Amino acid sequence: MEQSATTAVTESNDRREAAPASLRGEHSAPERLVLARGIFTGPSARVNDDLYAVVKGGAAVRERHSLHLPKGATAHTNTYFGRFAASYWQRWTTVTEVSVGAHLVVGHKANVRLVASDIAGHRRIIASLVATSSGVVSLTAPLDQYVDGGALWLEFDAVGGELDITELAWTARAPEKVRPVAIAICTFNRAEDCAHTVAALASDATVLAAIDAVYVVDQGTDLVEDRPLFQQVRPDFGDKLRYIRQPNLGGAGGFTRGLYEVSAANEHADVILMDDDILCEPETVLRLQAFANLTVEPTLVGAQMLFLLNPDYLNVGAEEVHLHELKHGQKVPKALRNTSMLKKNQERRVDAGYNAWWTCLIPAEVVKKIGLPVPIFFQWDDVEYGIRAREHGFVTVTLPNAAVWHADFYWKDYDDWARYFSTRNSLIVGALHTDLDGKAITREFFRYIAEHLVGMQYGLVHTTLQGIEDFMKGPKALRDGGIDALAAARSTRNDYPETIKHPAATPPVNSADISVRRASGEPSRVTLVLIKRAITQWTGRTQPGLVGITREDAHWWHVGLFDHVVVTDASQSGVRVRRRDKARARALLIRAYRTLRKLRKELPALQAEYRAAVPELTSRENWARLYGIDPN
């Protein structure tokens, strides 16, 4: 095995390589544990500073951990990253009282207020002080009135002179021991993004000191270790950084490798799973770790996701899964979704069903008790693990005011090869964790397929059926961890021209013939309209001519009116060309009927087969085999 000359990086599957020394035990705790620090500007210029603190009455000078206010200015931290989520800390942790302190350099006089909100967002002052000289100030609040909602924040007034604020921190009495924590980053050919994520962790000395190890699991051919930025920052980690190359086993295989390695090095260490292509807020690592150290019982602690292209917008406050409908990513009632965090705060406590793995802490106890993830490549792997953890008594908390930025989901086109894994894995997870109703499931699949046939998305229908058919092969389909499935899902889509994305300026049609057609409102009698569009497509009584349709208008009930359309891709980087093909639609319809009839018949037996296979699928031995590791 080749090994990098720098000891900070291991490029090997060789288990003889020593684990980071700091992962070999727990750490003694300070008297007070820092729960969150005062941050005043983001990790990137694209992030609005008002997500951290709002200043009125003058131009402030901001640095990451300091804020300078001119005479007469006011500032508050009633912001996304500035708030302290009191409701979550009261509900899930042993903390009964929290203190917030800061070092002030006072020009004349400063007013400081510790302020709280309730579930409705009503403001009340908990404590206040007037500082007339420089030094450290501290205010304390009991956590006793926030079960259903509410947060804490600070307000500052620079009265009669300038005011400097530094070393702001929320603290609580520390536990006897601080749990060791490692970070596992899974990457596949996003080398530059991953290098920036690693560099973000190295940029904060406090966060870097709190991390016991960082595992970068590289499954690609464009290697992270070849990036100058990665080479530049890796000495900052000392012996904490481990770089591992392995075959592409998807997110499930990459993240599981982190769990596998960390649990082997120290069965008491928590693991923070982190995507490679995020914009990382290092403070989030500290907040997740602090929360996990103080929960009453071991708890999965997830970060929220802010949109990368719209950085002040929250994806969703908390998610759950509707297994009987094979739907994940469902908004928990009353949770915020697609909301600007500059305009609204999450006052209400909402309890998550699971947390996606853009950034999520997995306690050591969970890995020890329930094993490793199921090797389903990607899509639904994080959902399955969260459900399985809950079935064993481990809840998930999606922690407000702890977040990373991730690519906006609605910029990704639904019609791609990933739909294979989404379909197959939703069936696998449903089979493992609920009693699926074969009649209801097949009816829903048939409607879904009919809509896409009407919309002339023949490749998408093929990909969906491919996922169902492979689910019916049983657990043996997971034998290679998804490598063959990935290749098949990608290659077979090449037979369907409408799956190919073309430059908008040069589509394979005469652009002069395209007339843009907008959609009217959604029909009130959807089933009737679906039947009518199916008849229209089948009989060829569609509207002639080449039609252009924007992404927002590309509903099946609009597209189905035509026989030749150019549709904007969700990424806004090109277009897809769809054309009515009765023969192909007929063949797919017959295939769908036969596949769904078989699924309805065999579903009970398949559920039993998958459930029986879980201990073997999630075992260290099975994952060692996939990684090519000798477990001895």
Side-chain angles (χ1 to χ4, degrees):
M1 295 287 184
E2 294 183 358
Q3 183 175 338
S4 172
T6 303
T7 58
V9 174
T10 300
E11 182 189 351
S12 173
N13 278 342
D14 194 338
R15 298 295 298 123
R16 294 171 297 178
E17 189 68 35
S22 55
L23 259 177
R24 294 176 185 160
E26 295 179 324
H27 308 296
S28 58
E31 181 179 347
R32 306 284 297 180
L33 184 67
V34 175
L35 312 182
R37 296 174 299 169
I39 308 293
F40 299 104
T41 188
S44 166
R46 73 179 76 176
V47 175
N48 193 317
D49 285 340
D50 284 354
L51 286 172
Y52 295 84
V54 173
V55 178
K56 296 181 180 180
V61 178
R62 299 175 185 255
E63 296 182 4
R64 276 289 281 176
H65 302 283
S66 66
L67 178 64
H68 173 81
L69 299 180
K71 175 183 175 180
T74 66
H76 69 77
T77 64
N78 187 21
T79 62
Y80 182 80
F81 284 108
R83 306 179 107 215
F84 180 79
S87 178
Y88 288 75
W89 285 87
Q90 181 179 347
R91 170 63 181 89
W92 296 111
T93 76
T94 60
V95 178
T96 58
E97 184 178 81
V98 63
S99 295
V100 57
H103 186 274
L104 304 183
V105 177
V106 181
H108 179 68
K109 183 173 74 172
N111 297 329
V112 184
R113 293 177 295 277
L114 175 57
V115 187
S117 62
D118 59 18
I119 193 171
H122 300 137
R123 173 183 178 274
R124 66 185 188 275
I125 296 175
I126 300 298
S128 64
L129 60 83
V130 177
T132 56
S133 61
S134 300
V136 175
V137 299
S138 181
L139 296 168
T140 299
L143 296 185
D144 58 356
Q145 293 180 300
Y146 306 93
V147 172
D148 289 335
L152 293 163
W153 65 87
L154 287 175
E155 296 177 350
F156 300 93
D157 303 326
V159 181
E162 298 177 339
L163 174 64
D164 288 316
I165 307 161
T166 59
E167 300 175 26
L168 195 160
W170 301 82
T171 66
R173 183 177 296 277
E176 291 185 5
K177 298 288 185 179
V178 172
R179 303 162 66 95
V181 65
I183 292 178
I185 303 172
C186 165
T187 186
F188 175 77
N189 287 350
R190 286 174 173 153
E192 192 66 22
D193 290 338
C194 186
H196 278 279
T197 299
V198 174
L201 297 173
S203 70
D204 191 307
T206 300
V207 171
L208 187 57
I211 300 169
D212 292 273
V214 175
Y215 289 83
V216 177
V217 182
D218 196 337
Q219 304 184 125
T221 53
D222 181 8
L223 301 181
V224 178
E225 68 173 351
D226 292 340
R227 286 296 189 271
L229 180 60
F230 183 81
Q231 296 288 353
Q232 176 185 330
V233 302
R234 74 179 187 180
D236 297 339
F237 291 89
D239 67 349
K240 293 182 178 182
L241 187 59
R242 287 292 182 271
Y243 180 82
I244 299 172
R245 291 181 58 189
Q246 67 180 32
N248 182 20
L249 295 167
F255 286 129
T256 300
R257 185 63 183 270
L259 296 174
Y260 181 98
E261 294 290 338
V262 173
S263 57
N266 183 355
E267 63 177 2
H268 302 294
D270 298 338
V271 185
I272 297 177
L273 303 178
M274 182 177 287
D275 265 344
D276 56 349
D277 59 342
I278 59 172
L279 173 57
C280 177
E281 171 50 80
E283 175 68 13
T284 290
V285 171
L286 185 147
R287 296 182 184 186
L288 297 184
Q289 184 192 18
F291 195 88
N293 269 283
L294 291 165
T295 53
V296 176
E297 300 289 346
T299 301
L300 287 77
V301 188
Q304 293 184 330
M305 175 192 140
L306 298 165
F307 287 128
L308 189 59
L309 296 178
N310 299 278
D312 62 304
Y313 272 75
L314 177 71
N315 172 35
V316 63
E319 293 181 313
E320 62 185 7
V321 59
H322 298 168
L323 279 180
H324 286 88
E325 300 173 344
L326 303 182
K327 293 180 179 179
H328 70 323
Q330 303 300 294
K331 180 177 77 73
V332 171
K334 303 296 183 180
L336 298 182
R337 188 182 197 114
N338 195 24
T339 303
S340 172
M341 294 291 96
L342 297 177
K343 299 177 180 179
K344 193 172 182 64
N345 288 315
Q346 181 175 310
E347 302 291 0
R348 184 185 296 268
R349 195 196 82 245
V350 287
D351 296 337
Y354 72 96
N355 201 96
W357 286 351
W358 43 69
T359 297
C360 185
L361 182 146
I362 311 294
E365 292 88 343
V366 174
V367 180
K368 186 174 183 179
K369 188 166 186 178
I370 76 172
L372 297 169
V374 178
I376 52 179
F377 195 77
F378 93 136
Q379 298 271 358
W380 284 80
D381 48 328
D382 44 11
V383 180
E384 191 282 326
Y385 204 73
I387 294 171
R388 183 154 39 108
R390 183 173 292 271
E391 290 173 349
H392 286 79
F394 301 104
V395 301
T396 296
V397 172
T398 297
L399 187 64
N401 321 121
V404 296
W405 291 267
H406 188 281
D408 309 29
F409 290 144
Y410 57 83
W411 286 76
K412 297 181 180 180
D413 203 277
Y414 188 83
D415 186 358
D416 71 359
W417 57 266
R419 201 54 43 201
Y420 164 84
F421 288 102
S422 180
T423 302
R424 188 199 70 176
N425 295 349
S426 69
L427 283 164
I428 292 173
V429 177
L432 291 177
H433 297 290
T434 192
D435 293 325
L436 293 174
D437 182 335
K439 185 176 181 180
I441 291 296
T442 53
R443 186 192 305 119
E444 190 62 30
F445 268 126
F446 187 80
R447 184 187 183 93
Y448 170 93
I449 287 168
E451 290 176 354
H452 290 299
L453 286 176
V454 163
M456 296 176 284
Q457 292 179 287
Y458 308 119
L460 179 57
V461 172
H462 160 75
T463 301
T464 300
L465 290 171
Q466 193 177 20
I468 297 171
E469 290 159 354
D470 280 6
F471 165 74
M472 290 191 292
K473 293 177 182 178
K476 65 182 180 183
L478 306 180
R479 179 69 184 170
D480 71 341
I483 294 175
D484 288 344
L486 171 65
R490 281 179 158 169
S491 63
T492 57
R493 285 174 58 83
N494 294 332
D495 297 333
Y496 297 88
E498 82 281 354
T499 65
I500 300 171
K501 183 171 65 176
H502 306 279
T506 57
V509 291
N510 188 344
S511 298
D513 295 335
I514 301 175
S515 61
V516 177
R517 298 291 294 272
R518 300 304 306 270
S520 56
E522 183 175 354
S524 58
R525 303 176 69 180
V526 178
T527 300
L528 179 60
V529 172
L530 178 58
I531 294 171
K532 289 175 64 177
R533 295 293 186 273
I535 294 172
T536 297
Q537 285 280 312
W538 188 262
T539 60
R541 288 183 289 189
T542 48
Q543 297 180 29
L546 186 60
V547 173
I549 298 177
T550 65
R551 175 68 183 89
E552 64 180 342
D553 290 331
H555 310 289
W556 60 263
W557 40 266
H558 181 55
V559 175
L561 291 169
F562 313 100
D563 66 357
H564 198 185
V565 299
V566 178
V567 178
T568 306
D569 189 81
S571 67
Q572 297 293 307
S573 61
V575 296
R576 315 267 191 118
V577 180
R578 306 184 199 171
R579 193 161 199 166
R580 187 176 71 89
D581 187 333
K582 181 177 178 179
R584 177 152 276 178
R586 182 179 184 276
L588 287 168
L589 187 62
I590 293 171
R591 178 182 167 194
Y593 173 76
R594 291 172 177 170
T595 299
L596 295 178
R597 183 176 63 178
K598 183 180 180 184
L599 175 64
R600 182 182 297 190
K601 178 182 178 181
E602 297 181 0
L603 188 54
L606 285 165
Q607 290 195 150
E609 191 176 350
Y610 275 102
R611 292 177 185 183
V614 167
E616 191 277 328
L617 289 171
T618 62
S619 67
R620 294 186 67 84
E621 292 75 17
N622 186 50
W623 280 106
R625 177 186 63 80
L626 289 169
Y627 296 138
I629 294 174
D630 180 359
N632 300 317

